[in-house]
Amino acid sequence: MAIREISSSPYLDQKPGTAGLRKKVSVFQQPHYLENFVQAVFDCVPALKGATLVIGGDGRYHNRDAIRVVVAMAMANGVGRIIIGQGGLLSTPAASHLIRKHDAAGGFLLTASHNPAGPDGDFGIKFNIAGGGQAGEGLTQRIYERSKAIDGYRIYEGANVDIDRRGTVVIDRTSIEVVDCVDDYAELMQGLFDFDRIADWISRGNGVRFDAMHAVTGPYAQRILVEQLGAPAAAVINATPLSDFGGGHPDPNLVYGKHLFDLAMSEGAPALIGASDGDGDRNMILGKGIFISPGDSLAMLAAHLPRLPGYRSGLRGIARSMPTSRAADHVAKALKVPLYETPTGWKFFCNLLDAGDVTICGEESFGTSSSHTREKDGLWAVLAWLNTLAVTGQSVEQIAQQHWHRYGRHYYARHDYEGLKGPDAEAVMQAFSGTLGALPGHKLGDWEVTLADEFSYQDKVDGSLATGQGLRVVCGDHARIVLRLSGTGTQGATLRVYLERYESDPSALGWTVADALAPLRTALESLARIGELTGRNAPDLVT
Ligand code: VG1
Ligand code: CO
C-alpha cells in the first residue's frame, strides 16, 4: 500500500452553490484545495468505502490533473471500484446515468458547466449521490461544515492510471475501469426514442444542426446524430472538446448562441437547431424561423412526450423551478397530472424523480430532462424534439403555434446583472423585498398583485425546508416578476430578474417578447430600483 496521510489547513470558502463548488482555476490550484474538498466528501459519505464511484468531467482545463487527484484519493479512501470516462470525459447526464446503471455510491463530476474555461477561467467539482442525483441541501451543508474543520486527507501515491486507455486495472484493492464515455448514454437514448423514425425523418432531407460548442457533447452528438441517426457529418459543429472550449462561452442561449439564432432566421435554415453547454446538461432549441424559450420547450415536450417510445405509459407529473415560466402548468392541468414548483437547482427535482412523482422537469436556464437520469440533459432534449418532429410531421414553428393556440402563450425573459458588488446586489433585494408587504391588492401595470413573498420550499419526501429561494410578485395567472441572486457565479454577485406575462387571446400571440414585457420592465424599475442602487442602466444579458 502506498497511502499517505497529508496534513492540511482548511479553506473557509468551500460552500457549494446551486450546482457544486465553482471557483477560478487558480483557487483550485492552491495547495490541498481540491484535496480538502474531496476528503470532506469522503468523510461525509462513508458508503463510498468498498463501493463503486464514477468520475468524469467536461474536459475543461485542469480536468485531467483533478481526476488524477480524485482517483488517488478514492483509492486511499477505500473505494472498491472506480469508473472513469475515457480521457476524463463524461457529460453530466451521462455521469448520472453511469451512477444509476452501476449502482454506484456516488460520483465526482468535474465541471463548471458553461463558465469559461482555461487557466484564467473557472473550474468546479460536484458530488452526486447514489441514484445519480445531485447532493441535496443537507449533505451539501455537511460537506461544507466538514471542509471548514478538515486537517488532512488520504491519497494513494504512484497509481498512474492511464485514463486514455479503455479497460480495467486492479491496483491493490481497487478496480479501475476506463470506459467509453458515450456507449452507455447512447444505449439509454436508443431505449427512449424511436431512432428508426428519426433516421427516416432525417433521410427525407430534414436538416439538423447541433453545436457542441467545443465542449463535452461533441463525441455524444457525433455518435448519436451522425453515426446512429445518419445526419451528415456537417450537422455537428464544434464537435471536438477543447480544454478552453475554443475560447468561447459554451452557454447556449440567445447571447452566446446568437449565431444559431441567425441561422434559424436565415433562408434554408435546418428544421431543427440545437446546442448544449460545457457539461452537456443545458439545451437550446430553435426551428426554422423560431426560437423556443426553455419554459415553452418544457411545456411542448411535456405535451408530446407520451407519443415517444420511452414515455408511452404517460406522465406521472411535471416539475419546474419557481422562476421558470408557468407554460408547463397548463399542460399538467390538461393531462390531469400534478405540477411541482421547486427552487432553482436540479437537486430539488431529484427526490420527486426518485419517488416516481414526476416524469419531466425543466428550468428556465435552458435545462430540461426526464426521469431517465437525475440531471438535466441537453442532448436528450434535442432528441426529444427530433422524435416529436418525426412523429408529428410538423415543423417546430407549427408545434409552437398550435401549442400557444391551445394553451396560451407565456412571454418570458430573464435579465442578468453580472459582476455586481455584493452589497449593491443585496441592496436591490432589500429594496424589492421592502415593497412586497404592501403590494397585494394593488395594481402592477394593468394587473392586480395577488401574491408577493419570498419563495420557500418544503421537500415532501425528506421534509427539508429551503428558505430564501427568490422574491416574487405574482399577478394571478397574468404576470410575474421574480428576483434572485445567482449561486453559480465566481466573480461578484449576479442578480437575476425573471419577467413573465401570459396571454391566451389569439390576437395576442404574435407580439415580440420585448413589447409584451415592457409594462413589467417599467414596474420593475420602480420596485427594485436597480439603476439607482447598482449604477447599471441595463442588464448584461437578456435571455
Ligand atoms: C443557474 C441556473 C439554474 C441551474 C444552475 C446550474 O443557477 O439559474 O437554473 O440549475 O445554474 O446549471 P444560478 O444559481 O446561477 O441561477 V449548470 O448547467 O451551470 O450546472
Ligand atoms: Co451545465
Side-chain angles (χ1 to χ4, degrees):
M1 290 286 266
I3 293 175
R4 281 189 62 194
E5 307 265 351
I6 313 267
S7 342
S8 61
S9 309
Y11 290 89
L12 302 179
D13 64 346
Q14 299 196 324
K15 187 176 170 57
T18 311
L21 182 68
R22 292 182 190 174
K23 301 280 177 195
K24 291 273 158 223
V25 166
S26 55
V27 173
F28 270 102
Q29 284 172 330
Q30 297 173 93
H32 316 307
Y33 190 90
L34 174 70
E35 290 87 342
N36 277 3
F37 184 78
V38 171
Q39 188 63 51
V41 173
F42 280 115
D43 291 350
C44 293
V45 190
L48 286 166
K49 210 167 184 156
T52 301
L53 175 76
V54 171
I55 303 173
D58 60 19
R60 68 177 56 230
Y61 183 82
H62 202 51
N63 196 41
R64 286 171 169 270
D65 289 346
I67 287 182
R68 205 168 299 127
V69 167
V70 178
V71 169
M73 288 186 64
M75 293 173 65
N77 279 279
V79 168
R81 179 184 179 207
I82 302 174
I83 300 174
I84 312 171
Q86 190 177 10
L89 294 180
L90 279 178
S91 79
T92 288
S96 176
H97 173 57
L98 278 180
I99 296 171
R100 295 167 65 68
K101 177 167 174 169
H102 294 284
D103 225 355
F108 282 100
L109 282 62
L110 290 311
T111 171
S113 189
H114 53 281
N115 294 13
D120 300 322
D122 289 350
F123 192 71
I125 182 164
K126 184 164 81 164
F127 180 70
N128 282 32
I129 55 175
Q134 299 184 359
E137 291 280 89
L139 175 58
T140 301
Q141 189 60 28
R142 287 200 297 284
I143 293 169
Y144 173 48
E145 293 303 330
R146 178 69 193 130
S147 76
K148 289 190 288 187
I150 207 145
D151 59 4
Y153 57 90
R154 294 160 70 78
I155 189 157
Y156 191 99
E157 288 210 327
N160 292 331
V161 177
D162 181 355
I163 61 170
D164 292 309
R165 185 198 293 245
R166 259 180 273 169
T168 304
V169 292
V170 178
I171 302 175
D172 274 344
R173 276 176 297 168
T174 311
S175 135
I176 302 163
E177 290 173 46
V178 176
V179 300
D180 181 90
C181 63
V182 182
D183 283 351
D184 296 283
Y185 179 83
E187 189 185 294
L188 175 68
M189 292 302 117
Q190 257 169 326
L192 297 175
F193 302 117
D194 189 340
F195 272 34
D196 289 341
R197 193 122 186 208
I198 302 173
D200 177 61
W201 180 85
I202 291 174
S203 75
R204 282 186 282 111
N206 292 295
V208 181
R209 184 72 53 89
F210 179 83
D211 190 347
M213 300 187 128
H214 283 307
V216 79
T217 49
Y220 294 84
Q222 172 70 29
R223 173 84 62 83
I224 296 172
L225 297 176
V226 178
E227 291 167 32
Q228 299 185 332
L229 295 171
V236 180
I237 58 171
N238 301 319
T240 309
L242 299 174
S243 67
D244 66 349
F245 298 146
H249 197 135
D251 191 3
N253 57 36
L254 288 175
V255 177
Y256 300 110
K258 170 83 169 43
H259 56 289
L260 299 176
F261 179 82
D262 294 342
L263 175 67
M265 299 304 150
S266 69
E267 270 299 302
L272 187 84
I273 301 168
S276 191
D277 70 332
D279 61 326
D281 58 358
R282 298 187 177 206
N283 74 88
M284 183 187 193
I285 300 292
L286 306 107
K288 188 171 170 47
I290 190 165
F291 159 70
I292 301 295
S293 79
D296 276 346
S297 179
L298 172 66
M300 293 169 192
L301 285 182
H304 287 93
L305 221 49
R307 300 185 66 176
L308 312 187
Y311 306 92
R312 290 229 168 94
S313 56
L315 304 188
R316 305 290 294 266
I318 304 174
R320 62 162 174 80
S321 68
M322 185 274 281
T324 300
S325 103
R326 296 177 291 178
D329 302 27
H330 302 284
V331 179
K333 204 167 163 197
L335 293 174
K336 299 196 175 55
V337 298
L339 182 288
Y340 298 87
E341 185 176 51
T342 60
T344 293
W346 208 261
K347 59 183 171 233
F348 293 102
F349 294 138
C350 292
N351 279 348
L352 294 170
L353 289 162
D354 282 347
D357 289 340
V358 298
T359 303
I360 183 169
C361 317
E363 293 191 284
E364 50 65 40
S365 54
F366 295 78
T368 334
S369 189
S370 85
S371 47
H372 69 282
T373 186
R374 291 293 178 272
E375 290 276 4
K376 52 195 189 219
D377 189 345
L379 212 47
W380 174 88
V382 171
L383 291 167
W385 268 96
L386 279 172
N387 205 161
T388 300
L389 298 179
V391 294
T392 58
Q394 291 178 314
S395 67
V396 175
E397 164 101 51
Q398 285 167 334
I399 285 178
Q401 291 296 346
Q402 202 174 58
H403 191 95
W404 292 334
H405 278 89
R406 172 162 180 197
Y407 299 102
R409 179 171 180 185
H410 287 256
Y411 292 94
Y412 188 88
R414 184 177 97 183
H415 293 191
D416 292 337
Y417 297 79
E418 297 180 333
L420 297 177
K421 293 193 194 93
D424 290 358
E426 285 297 342
V428 173
M429 294 298 279
Q430 288 289 335
F432 192 66
S433 170
T435 64
L436 299 185
L439 285 177
H442 286 79
K443 287 266 169 194
L444 188 137
D446 289 343
W447 313 283
E448 183 183 318
V449 176
T450 51
L451 173 77
D453 70 353
E454 184 167 49
F455 181 64
S456 60
Y457 174 74
Q458 179 147 36
D459 189 299
K460 75 164 225 196
V461 178
D462 64 19
S464 62
L465 184 70
T467 55
Q469 298 298 319
L471 303 171
R472 59 181 176 178
V473 176
V474 183
C475 302
D477 290 340
H478 304 290
R480 278 195 313 168
I481 297 177
V482 176
L483 259 69
R484 58 178 285 281
L485 298 179
S486 156
T488 57
T490 60
Q491 237 165 2
T494 295
L495 171 70
R496 305 206 194 284
V497 177
Y498 310 81
L499 305 174
E500 176 184 21
R501 173 177 180 177
Y502 174 60
E503 291 295 333
S504 55
D505 185 333
S507 69
L509 299 179
W511 298 340
T512 67
V513 177
D515 286 350
L517 297 179
L520 292 171
R521 285 201 304 275
T522 310
L524 170 74
E525 192 46 49
S526 67
L527 294 175
R529 297 164 32 221
I530 297 173
E532 177 196 328
L533 295 170
T534 67
R536 301 284 179 86
N537 295 322
D540 300 282
L541 224 68
V542 176
T543 54

